[in-house]
Amino acid sequence: ADSPKNYVDWEKIDPEAATRYGKILSSDHYELKAMGRTGFWSTPHTLRAKAYQHIIHSIESTSTTADLDTYHGIVRKLFGELQTSTHPFPKFMEDGEIPRYCLNKAGLNSVKKILICINHHFLDVSFCPILSALVSLLLHFSEDEAQCFHIICSLVSYTDPKKHYIDRTFLTSRASCMTFGDLANKYCRGIRKLIASSHQNLFEFYSDWIMWIFADLPFTYAIRVLDVYLMEGYKVLYRVALALLSFYKVSVSSRVAHVDDFRQDMKSFVQNVGRHSTINALLQRAFSIQLPTRKELTYLFNANKDALIQKDIHNKRTTTNVSFFSSSYQAMDFRAFRSSVVTETEMRVVWAWIPERFALFSPVQLFSTNIHGRRLFSFYSKVEGHDPTVLLLKTEDEDICGAFLSSDWAQKNCDEKGFKFFGTGECFVFTVSKSTFTLINVVYTLLYLRLLVCGLYPAGGDDGHALHLQADLTAGSSEHCDTFESPPLCRGCFKIQSLEVWGIQHSLSVPPLLSQ
């Protein structure tokens, strides 16, 4: 039904809003981005509605859109003259729930009708739990069902390779989930340590990340996120979820001992986020995070997707939310695990810290001083040709430390100055705490591995060596390293009791991720 806004000259009712709308129409993409981030079109309701229509018009140019008549044709075919749908919810919805926000009963019925029509129009959309929330939010700012359907179709079919809006399948949704997990491990390390030390499932916790935004956030927060999402695409969702996670870490740190279920606790936190942060502070935090470029995020997403395909995780095979996806991480074969450096439990913790696409696969021992001796030639012959690898060592003082190395050791070949730097931003150094089996001093930053002509090889750079081993593999040292922002991993100079290098049982190609 038509709303009153179709019968009045709203510019006369609110001249300031009309002036703002004129500025929106005359602004370029970058100016509109700035407007979206600052809430330029937040009020009144009609101004946001008009701003959305203007933004969608630009999205249409790279979309295969459905016009308004398409929707009416689908409605006639599916519903006839009925106004209330008795059809089941679409298969792409996870739980059949529609966020109500400010909708009345008629509005909720319209959301269901639109979702059913989307399901009919896009046969390849097989898993997309955020669609119900997106339809609900956009219906608040649409003239009718057909216009809301048109907007959603524009987002679903957006074809710009540089950014996207909506994941269509279980595979791409889970690849995005893994990508968020990788980002969270880099930018919100503390929360990972809290959850890992509680022995709760970190992968299930991260699997809810997008629902924090499009299900749990209060309406006044969700629409401000929608403002920037429509302008900037999926990358904004990573930013906002990371910002929520950083605020949550502050909230939960003082009461972590009383949290029985981090997943439910996070949901409650987001639903009541107003107690902890304003929407402006949340967005300010989100856009202060120096995320990788869209190209690098695309590399990471595709690498995660390839890992899921190799692991044969293509679709949602169980009725529970993430049980199959979570159990896949537990399918790694540690039964035959034997190490002279770490226990099976400690290795599971180490494995939980490496990038998620590799954590899907089982560790394979490539080199051990207990088996292969301490000759440097033997070391290189065993580890070269493998990426990534995990180096583990135990000192004679029983300290345990190591490094995750994303690049092939074959890149060690020296340049004319006698050394070469190599590695990516996924590398990190760590120590293993014997009392809690958790990793501490884990730092994700650009790693430089330097190989010197004399046979010494440290991890780090000229700003200090986080880990430095002698060529005979009998001793080493660790010092403060600016590259990793890490303190010494163990006592300054040490004797090596045992050293191992573990590879990953996979055949994935590793993209040049975060190489700068």
Side-chain angles (χ1 to χ4, degrees), residues 158-197:
Y158 190 71
T159 57
D160 188 337
K162 296 180 181 178
K163 68 177 182 180
H164 77 289
Y165 285 95
I166 293 173
D167 289 319
R168 298 181 178 212
T169 66
F170 182 81
L171 174 63
T172 56
S173 294
R174 292 307 138 188
S176 292
C177 176
M178 291 170 66
T179 302
F180 174 76
D182 287 325
L183 295 173
N185 295 342
K186 178 170 183 175
Y187 297 101
C188 301
R189 295 188 301 273
I191 193 67
R192 184 185 185 101
K193 189 188 301 183
L194 290 176
I195 297 175
S197 62

Side-chain angles (χ1 to χ4, degrees), residues 155-288:
L155 299 179
V156 172
S157 59
Y158 190 71
T159 57
D160 188 337
K162 296 180 181 178
K163 68 177 182 180
H164 77 289
Y165 285 95
I166 293 173
D167 289 319
R168 298 181 178 212
T169 66
F170 182 81
L171 174 63
T172 56
S173 294
R174 292 307 138 188
S176 292
C177 176
M178 291 170 66
T179 302
F180 174 76
D182 287 325
L183 295 173
N185 295 342
K186 178 170 183 175
Y187 297 101
C188 301
R189 295 188 301 273
I191 193 67
R192 184 185 185 101
K193 189 188 301 183
L194 290 176
I195 297 175
S197 62
S198 71
H199 304 289
Q200 294 187 33
N201 192 310
L202 191 67
F203 304 107
E204 287 191 3
F205 178 82
Y206 286 154
S207 73
D208 289 338
W209 78 276
I210 203 167
M211 303 309 289
W212 300 339
I213 301 169
F214 288 128
D216 300 333
L217 271 181
F219 177 73
T220 54
Y221 284 64
I223 56 176
R224 283 292 303 279
V225 176
L226 187 62
D227 290 347
V228 289
Y229 167 72
L230 290 178
M231 278 303 307
E232 304 183 44
Y234 206 90
K235 186 176 178 179
V236 160
L237 304 184
Y238 289 138
R239 288 189 176 279
V240 174
L242 289 172
L244 286 169
L245 200 57
S246 68
F247 282 121
Y248 175 67
K249 175 183 175 292
V250 175
S251 165
V252 77
S253 294
S254 61
R255 53 184 179 83
V256 64
H258 305 288
V259 178
D260 296 324
D261 185 342
F262 279 98
R263 193 178 180 190
Q264 185 58 43
D265 192 64
M266 180 65 182
K267 180 181 180 72
S268 177
F269 172 86
V270 176
Q271 290 172 338
N272 298 282
V273 69
R275 301 175 185 173
H276 308 275
S277 170
T278 64
I279 180 58
N280 286 331
L282 178 66
L283 291 179
Q284 186 177 10
R285 176 69 63 86
F287 289 104
S288 70

Side-chain angles (χ1 to χ4, degrees), residues 298-442:
T298 299
Y299 274 136
L300 180 55
F301 170 83
N302 288 333
N304 284 329
K305 187 173 69 171
D306 289 344
L308 289 168
I309 291 172
Q310 188 175 134
K311 198 70 175 178
D312 197 28
I313 303 175
H314 291 165
N315 49 56
K316 187 180 180 185
R317 304 182 183 183
T318 63
T319 55
T320 56
N321 284 352
V322 291
S323 59
F324 174 75
F325 184 64
S326 301
S327 65
S328 68
Y329 286 92
Q330 309 306 318
M332 299 167 292
D333 185 9
F334 282 92
R335 292 171 300 179
F337 178 79
R338 298 291 184 273
S339 170
S340 58
V341 178
V342 294
T343 65
E344 176 189 337
T345 303
E346 290 169 335
M347 190 59 168
R348 287 183 182 273
V349 174
V350 171
W351 220 243
W353 282 89
I354 69 176
E356 301 211 5
R357 65 186 181 279
F358 299 122
L360 285 169
F361 301 90
S362 301
V364 178
Q365 189 178 81
L366 303 176
F367 175 84
S368 170
T369 52
N370 287 10
I371 299 173
H372 304 106
R374 297 180 183 252
R375 294 180 60 223
L376 196 60
F377 174 80
S378 177
F379 175 90
Y380 285 139
S381 69
K382 297 295 184 183
V383 302
E384 287 183 358
H386 297 271
D387 57 18
T389 54
V390 175
L391 183 147
L392 297 169
L393 72 84
K394 179 187 288 186
T395 72
E396 291 190 352
D397 293 323
E398 299 292 318
D399 292 327
I400 298 174
C401 62
F404 172 74
L405 313 172
S406 61
S407 299
D408 188 343
W409 286 86
Q411 295 185 31
K412 66 178 174 54
N413 297 323
C414 304
D415 61 17
E416 65 278 3
K417 294 182 179 180
F419 59 84
K420 179 181 179 181
F421 298 102
F422 68 98
T424 76
E426 289 188 304
C427 300
F428 59 88
V429 294
F430 59 85
T431 63
V432 178
S433 167
K434 302 171 187 174
S435 58
T436 61
F437 305 121
T438 59
L439 298 184
I440 60 174
N441 298 336
V442 177

